């Protein structure tokens, strides 16, 4: 039975995380653009991480034997929202994308040697990771089956050639998970683990993008004759597409949790301004048009939270919840965009200015409607299921 109650120890943890984010992380946002390349300087991040570990709040999505907090997905759902109230919160507490999704993937599929080499230091926050699936056209984008990167058998090893881009974190990553088409499994794909400094991996550039600099960047990478072995394969030859789906379900949901945190904070910023700023004889919040914007944002955020909780509950029961996670990602990513847009509208010129962070959040959130499945692709997935359930006609 679905249960909305939150156990007292989780409520206590939420309060502790909230205090840490308010008192330690949000003040550090003043440094979020100090470094022209990374945005947040590494020294500031290291200090935040040390404090999070000291407070016993690091790696909330990982089990205790790896040094995490040992929470189930329904338990860490409200915690990731609170962490997400700051764009640097997830990095500070060891649950930012793509590391957090990669931790989950490795936790489920890595063998003992790979866990020791990659997963353990990743959960400790000693190293960073990147995930390379997307390629420039005509390669894999919205449609991963267009994957062009190849892994060719060569003796008892593999030679990998390809071109990736939008590989988040690759500017600082110590290892890369590479999705490549393998030639001895009937055209399937395989995930490989490689140290970033292996000969054959060339980080061409950090792709310039809207919003401020992101720590680790979003990189274009060339793979030129990268040599790997069978020991570097994650989860087995030919299992790439299945593993990517297994990674994306929970990773989409954790994105929704974190972005709900920023959207909630934007609603609070807008509400505060609307309560204090006067125009035409009353506070802005006294005008119905402003009230409706606040109400619509509150309603959409509430619906999003319920969708996230429902998906988390399904995943915890071991269900794939593909349709539900698509609905949730679609709803939450579009809600976040609308809530931020309304918050800027309510704050007027101040909202557009860089004096408060709304404009920066707005720019950063735009990509959420594209990565981990563009809204149109999620609508396609949802509609196919709807047509199957209720339609007489055949979906494509
Ligand atoms: C900030 C950011 C970080 C990212 N990080 C990573 C990462 O770490 N690793 C990684 O591998 N990838 C990453 N990506 C890539 C991301 O997953 C892709 O951008 C996404 O899958 C879309 O692929 P594409 O950009 O090639 O768009 P395309 O496939 O070229 O699609 C372009 C547009 O076409 C439309 N479209 C596509 N299919 C359909 C359809 N069936 N029906 C209607 N319209 C459709 C959508 O509007 C879509 O936005 C990142 C992207 C961004 C922006």
């Amino acid at each position: 039975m679905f249960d909305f109650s939150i156990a007292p120890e989780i409520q206590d943890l939420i309060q502790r995380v909230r205090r840490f984010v308010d008192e330690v992380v949000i003040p550090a946002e003043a440094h979020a653009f100090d470094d022209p390349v990374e945005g947040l300087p590494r020294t500031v991040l290291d200090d935040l991480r040390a404090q999070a570990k000291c407070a016993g709040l690091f790696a909330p999505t990982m089990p205790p034997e790896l040094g995490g907090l040992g929470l189930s997905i329904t338990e860490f759902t409200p915690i990731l929202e609170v962490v997400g109230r700051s764009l640097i919160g997830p990095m500070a507490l060891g649950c930012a994308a793509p590391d957090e999704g990669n931790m989950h993937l490795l936790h489920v599929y890595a063998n003992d040697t790979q866990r020791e080499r990659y997963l353990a230091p990743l959960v400790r926050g000693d190293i960073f990771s990147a995930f390379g699936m997307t390629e420039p056209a005509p390669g894999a984008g919205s449609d991963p089956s267009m994957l062009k990167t190849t892994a060719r058998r060569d003796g008892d090893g593999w030679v990998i050639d390809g071109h990736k881009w939008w590989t988040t974190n690759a500017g600082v990553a110590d290892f890369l998970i590479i999705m490549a088409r393998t030639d001895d499994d009937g055209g399937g794909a395989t995930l490989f683990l490689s140290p970033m400094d292996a000969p054959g991996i060339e980080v061409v550039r950090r792709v310039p993008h809207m919003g401020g600099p992101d720590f680790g960047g979003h990189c274009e990478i060339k793979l030129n004759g990268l040599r790997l072995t069978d020991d570097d394969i994650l989860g087995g030859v030919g299992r790439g597409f299945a593993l990517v789906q297994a990674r994306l379900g929970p990773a989409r949901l954790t994105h929704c949790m974190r972005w709900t945190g920023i959207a909630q904070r934007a609603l609070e910023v807008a509400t505060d301004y609307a309560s204090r700023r006067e125009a035409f004889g009353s506070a802005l919040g006294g005008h119905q048009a402003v009230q409706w914007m606040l109400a619509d944002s509150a309603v959409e955020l509430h619906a999003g939270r319920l969708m996230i909780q429902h998906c988390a509950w399904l995943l915890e029961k071991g269900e794939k919840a593909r349709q539900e996670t698509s609905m949730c990602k679609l709803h939450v990513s579009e809600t976040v965009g609308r809530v931020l847009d309304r918050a800027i509208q309510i704050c007027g010129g101040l909202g557009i200015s860089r004096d408060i962070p709304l404009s920066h959040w707005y720019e950063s959130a735009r990509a959420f409607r594209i990565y981990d499945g563009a809204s149109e692709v999620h609508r396609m997935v949802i509609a196919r299921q709807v047509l199957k359930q209720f339609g007489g006609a055949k979906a494509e």
Side-chain angles (χ1 to χ4, degrees), residues 105-106 108-115 117-118 151-160 176-185 189-195 226-240 243:
L105 185 67
L106 291 172
V108 178
Y109 294 103
N111 61 34
D112 287 348
T113 316
Q114 293 165 341
R115 290 171 78 85
R117 183 172 180 191
Y118 295 115
R152 183 170 46 80
R153 267 269 179 220
D154 185 45
D156 57 0
W158 297 87
V159 178
I160 299 181
L176 171 64
I177 303 173
I178 303 162
M179 187 169 183
R181 197 167 281 292
T182 24
D183 60 2
D184 61 354
D185 62 355
T190 300
L191 296 186
F192 290 85
L193 290 158
S194 172
L226 169 67
R227 289 192 167 272
L228 295 172
T229 69
D230 282 339
D231 295 340
D232 300 315
I233 289 173
L234 181 63
V237 174
R239 298 201 58 210
L243 264 62

Side-chain angles (χ1 to χ4, degrees), residues 155-232:
D156 57 0
W158 297 87
V159 178
I160 299 181
D161 289 284
H163 190 182
K164 301 285 182 185
W165 82 324
W166 286 109
T167 312
T168 298
N169 238 15
V172 294
D174 297 273
F175 74 95
L176 171 64
I177 303 173
I178 303 162
M179 187 169 183
R181 197 167 281 292
T182 24
D183 60 2
D184 61 354
D185 62 355
T190 300
L191 296 186
F192 290 85
L193 290 158
S194 172
M196 271 307 282
D197 59 3
I201 299 186
E202 179 197 351
V203 178
V204 179
R205 59 174 180 145
R206 289 176 184 231
V207 180
H209 56 81
M210 67 190 289
D214 276 345
F215 188 84
H218 306 282
C219 300
E220 179 179 350
I221 292 181
K222 287 212 170 133
L223 304 166
N224 305 310
L226 169 67
R227 289 192 167 272
L228 295 172
T229 69
D230 282 339
D231 295 340
D232 300 315

Side-chain angles (χ1 to χ4, degrees), residues 164 243 253 260 293:
K164 301 285 182 185
L243 264 62
L253 216 52
T260 297
M293 284 197 270

Side-chain angles (χ1 to χ4, degrees), residues 131-134 141-142 166 168 218 367 370-372 374 376-377 380:
F131 186 84
M133 179 172 77
T134 305
S142 296
W166 286 109
T168 298
H218 306 282
I370 291 173
Y371 58 66
D372 281 13
E376 294 73 19
V377 175
M380 177 187 77

Side-chain angles (χ1 to χ4, degrees), residues 88-99:
I88 60 173
M91 278 195 299
L93 278 88
C95 52
D99 286 343

Side-chain angles (χ1 to χ4, degrees), residues 44-127:
V44 177
L45 178 59
D46 287 347
D47 178 54
L48 289 172
R49 289 182 155 203
Q51 291 192 61
K53 284 178 198 172
C54 211
L57 302 176
F58 199 72
T61 63
M62 283 288 107
E65 65 271 18
L66 284 164
L69 301 193
L71 304 170
S72 70
I73 186 165
T74 52
E75 287 172 333
F76 70 65
T77 292
I79 288 169
L80 256 60
E81 176 180 336
V82 176
V83 175
R85 288 176 62 82
S86 170
L87 286 188
I88 60 173
M91 278 195 299
L93 278 88
C95 52
D99 286 343
E100 179 268 322
N102 292 341
M103 285 179 208
H104 171 75
L105 185 67
L106 291 172
H107 179 49
V108 178
Y109 294 103
N111 61 34
D112 287 348
T113 316
Q114 293 165 341
R115 290 171 78 85
E116 185 74 17
R117 183 172 180 191
Y118 295 115
L119 179 59
L122 187 61
V123 177
R124 284 198 302 269
D126 294 343
I127 61 171

